[in-house]
Amino acid sequence: MSNRPLRPAAGWLYLATFIAIGISLTMMGPALTYLRDRAGVTKGEIGVLFPASAVGYLIGSLVSGRFYDRGWGHRAVAGGLFGLVLAALAVPHATSVGALSIVFACLGAACACVDVGGNTLVVWHTRGEGSARLLNALHLFFGLGALASPLLVNRSIAWTGGLGFAVGVIAVYSFTIAVLVLLHESPVHSPDEVDVPDPRTHARILAVIGVFFFLYVGIELGFSGWLTTYAEGIGLPGANSAALLNTLFFVFFTLGRFIAMLAASRVRPGLMLVGSCTLTSVLLLIMAVADGSPTVVWITTALIGLAVAPQFASMIAYADQYIKLSGRATSWFVSSAGLGGVVLPFIIGRQLDKSSNAMPIVVFCGAIAATGWLAVVRRVLTAQKPEPVALVREPV
């Protein structure tokens, strides 16, 4: 260990890391046509990059939680960012589907390490109910990175004919943030903060909460991932309307996370979850019943973006009120979310072959399941501790 003086961790550091993974995890989508043409393969063959990235993300999230529980903290975050740099720089040099699959799997694993670290260290950093506000800010900045990704990829291809400029920006930014992270003292998790002495009980609680994350991310990615295809299938009128609809969703999704960040200091995470899940279910039902009505599609898409936005961060903050999260717990949540991002979108894709209106119907079923499962989560958590832990709010 170095004897150099370290400054206490600052909340802005975690926000900065989530811009990096927001750009990196969503880079593949806007670059897919370019990657397919360069590799000389079909749409179906290049689609293997999605499960490759998901597998890497799943492995990275399951493994990385142990690093944080062992006190590695910012070293683990920096390691994930350095891995992100190497994987990103390798993208322009991978010209076959096999090589690209390996690169994007490594990129997914590196991003997962940073994702687990950000969510875990924010909770440890705030050590109070203020975690809900910073967690929502964290995921807001992920959304900002995701919004910037298509523009960065588009300009890179237009200016240089490839992805060299885009990955160069990602690499320089991520490397800089990694160095800054190492210059700050990492928050640590005290073993005596864990309130569940029985490992089997703890595992059961984590599994129950993990199901919610599985459902939530399936809903979010299932809706956003197939929204353009859905709009094309129902013949949404207007030039570029399908692409604009997808952009509308992400704009309101980002706005929803901004609103949730502001509201987190006044609205308890449990109440925010109930309202968010219920509103999402109602809006999806309206969209499904409307059966492709253009006006309803535009309005409900925007409102669904607002409704689903707070759920991930709010559930982490809600769980922390009862069980005091460890790195292992957060890694379980993130890996469950990663698995959910594969299963429900796959089901939607199969159903869209049968009906253009299948997307909102399938996602509505997922939303109803998530809303009902929220009651199960609450029952399990309150059985473990009838009242949330009394916490002292500290400044971010």
Side-chain angles (χ1 to χ4, degrees), residues 123 131 135 196 202 205-206 209 213 269-270 273 312-325 329 333 377 381 384-385 388-389:
V123 171
S131 64
L135 281 166
V196 186
H202 199 199
I205 292 172
L206 296 184
I209 300 173
F213 284 111
L273 280 168
F312 196 104
S314 296
M315 178 53 80
I316 290 180
Y318 183 57
D320 185 60
Q321 290 182 334
Y322 292 89
I323 62 174
K324 302 305 299 177
L325 296 183
F333 298 159
V377 172
L381 288 177
Q384 142 51 24
K385 180 184 287 296
V389 181

Side-chain angles (χ1 to χ4, degrees), residues 38 92 132 185 276 281 352 376 394:
R38 194 181 65 179
E185 182 181 1
S276 177
S281 299
L352 278 172
V376 178
E394 293 189 8

Side-chain angles (χ1 to χ4, degrees), residues 24-40:
S24 301
L25 283 177
T26 56
M27 173 179 63
M28 181 168 56
L32 203 61
T33 299
Y34 166 79
L35 294 173
R36 184 193 72 205
D37 292 343
R38 194 181 65 179

Side-chain angles (χ1 to χ4, degrees), residues 103-138:
V103 168
F104 277 103
C106 292
L107 186 65
C111 288
C113 182
V114 180
D115 193 351
V116 170
N119 284 289
T120 303
L121 296 177
V122 157
V123 171
W124 296 353
H125 167 67
T126 54
R127 299 190 186 280
E129 293 181 353
S131 64
R133 179 169 172 265
L134 189 51
L135 281 166
N136 277 288
L138 197 70

Side-chain angles (χ1 to χ4, degrees), residues 17-343:
T17 63
F18 264 54
I19 290 180
I21 64 172
I23 296 175
S24 301
L25 283 177
T26 56
M27 173 179 63
M28 181 168 56
L32 203 61
T33 299
Y34 166 79
L35 294 173
R36 184 193 72 205
D37 292 343
R38 194 181 65 179
V41 295
T42 65
K43 293 180 181 179
E45 290 171 329
I46 200 67
V48 74
L49 298 186
F50 289 102
S53 177
V55 169
Y57 189 85
L58 183 65
I59 295 172
S61 57
L62 286 173
V63 172
S64 60
R66 301 175 183 271
F67 303 154
Y68 297 100
D69 286 340
R70 291 176 179 175
W72 293 15
H74 284 180
R75 287 176 292 167
V77 172
L81 288 169
F82 289 138
L84 188 160
V85 169
L86 294 175
L89 290 176
V91 171
H93 304 288
T95 56
S96 68
V97 172
L100 285 168
S101 297
I102 294 173
V103 168
F104 277 103
C106 292
L107 186 65
C111 288
C113 182
V114 180
D115 193 351
V116 170
N119 284 289
T120 303
L121 296 177
V122 157
V123 171
W124 296 353
H125 167 67
T126 54
R127 299 190 186 280
E129 293 181 353
S131 64
R133 179 169 172 265
L134 189 51
L135 281 166
N136 277 288
L138 197 70
H139 291 273
L140 165 65
F141 275 69
F142 179 95
L144 293 176
L147 280 174
S149 182
L151 177 61
L152 182 60
V153 169
N154 178 273
R155 290 301 83 198
S156 179
I157 295 174
W159 292 339
T160 68
L163 296 176
F165 174 75
V167 300
V169 171
I170 294 171
V172 170
Y173 177 81
S174 301
F175 185 87
T176 302
I177 297 302
V179 172
L180 292 174
V181 165
L182 290 174
L183 295 177
H184 286 75
E185 182 181 1
S186 176
V188 294
H189 186 49
S190 302
D192 58 6
E193 288 182 351
V194 180
D195 262 336
V196 186
D198 181 355
R200 288 178 298 180
T201 302
H202 199 199
R204 181 172 64 88
I205 292 172
L206 296 184
V208 168
I209 300 173
V211 171
F212 178 86
F213 284 111
F214 173 88
L215 292 169
Y216 162 72
V217 174
I219 294 164
E220 178 195 323
L221 293 185
F223 186 84
S224 63
W226 288 106
L227 185 58
T228 300
T229 304
Y230 165 73
E232 293 169 347
I234 63 174
L236 191 67
N240 301 317
S241 57
L244 289 173
L245 187 70
N246 193 261
T247 301
L248 179 72
F249 171 81
F250 279 109
V251 168
F252 275 81
F253 182 80
T254 303
L255 177 62
R257 286 187 164 170
F258 178 73
I259 294 172
M261 179 187 69
L262 298 179
S265 59
R266 292 180 172 84
V267 182
R268 296 188 69 84
L271 180 60
M272 190 175 292
L273 280 168
V274 171
S276 177
C277 290
T278 303
L279 181 59
T280 300
S281 299
V282 171
L283 290 168
L284 283 165
L285 177 61
I286 293 172
M287 177 182 274
V289 171
D291 196 21
S293 167
T295 301
V296 174
V297 168
W298 284 103
I299 294 174
T300 53
T301 294
L303 295 178
I304 289 168
L306 284 174
V308 301
Q311 292 180 26
F312 196 104
S314 296
M315 178 53 80
I316 290 180
Y318 183 57
D320 185 60
Q321 290 182 334
Y322 292 89
I323 62 174
K324 302 305 299 177
L325 296 183
S326 63
R328 173 175 169 264
T330 309
S331 69
W332 176 256
F333 298 159
V334 172
S335 61
S336 298
L339 187 60
V342 175
V343 175

